Amino acid sequence: MAHAPATQPRDRREPGEVFGPGFTLFADMLLIGLLTALACLPVVTAPAAFAAASATLRQTAGDGLQIKVGTYMGHLRQLLTPRALAAGLLPPVLFVVLLVDVALVRGGMPGAQIMAPALALLTFGAAVVGLRATALEAPHQLSVREALVRSAGDLRGALLLGAAALLAVLIAWSTPLMIPLLPGPLAFAATVVDLRRQPDAQQSRPRQPHPRES
């Protein structure tokens, strides 16, 4: 008598698949978005919150298990270091500087036509580098220098992240109620952009000669 083929557990995914099909995608995006938004409430914890979201997504892509609250909280506890909290001071400082510059531009400061586009590019550039830094795998997590190097070496990925940040701003402006859910798609975009770079990096490594060939 032939045995029925064993079915794959419903809480698992195909190897390398960040999200499962159907409503699993929607549920995971909601969960990651809400957890990250809650973890960002103290402001200085924002880099660690996004890095925990990226680490959770990386683990999900590796083992195929669904995203769970405990998994995210475990990564968040590991990433709440003094260095991460110090990095959390940069976004508020940049935001204040941006507000001051915008006020000067609106006040009729000479060169405002040049300053306004420059401020917009600076803001989105900082957002891209910041998202890239939070999506780096260990031991490069939250490294601005490594994020700058990868952004410069992957302009297509930088443009994709810039588009994701711009879309998030437009959604926040048009529908403020969606703001608590936006960290999920942003963390997902940053993680996917960094994951898509890894095959290229592996192919560019020089092949090590086999012992028999030496």
Side-chain angles (χ1 to χ4, degrees), residues 36 39-55 72 75-76 79-81 83-92 130-131 133-136 141-144 187:
T36 307
C40 287
L41 287 179
V43 180
V44 293
T45 57
F50 273 88
S54 178
Y72 178 87
H75 288 300
L76 182 61
L79 290 165
L80 282 175
T81 61
R83 177 185 176 185
L85 295 176
L89 296 174
L90 295 178
L131 287 172
T134 60
L136 296 175
Q141 286 172 323
L142 299 178
S143 172
V144 176

Side-chain angles (χ1 to χ4, degrees), residues 161-206:
L161 279 183
L166 178 59
L167 180 60
V169 171
L170 293 176
I171 292 175
W173 175 73
S174 61
T175 314
L177 291 177
M178 294 291 293
I179 292 177
L181 303 180
L182 293 179
L186 287 175
F188 172 74
T191 305
V192 170
V193 166
D194 197 68
L195 285 174
R196 61 179 280 277
R197 175 187 176 276
Q198 291 183 358
D200 297 335
Q202 292 176 357
Q203 291 176 4
S204 62
R205 294 176 183 172

Side-chain angles (χ1 to χ4, degrees), residues 126-150:
V128 168
V129 173
L131 287 172
R132 198 72 187 253
T134 60
L136 296 175
E137 74 281 10
H140 300 295
Q141 286 172 323
L142 299 178
S143 172
V144 176
R145 180 179 179 181
E146 181 67 19
L148 283 170
V149 171
R150 295 198 183 188

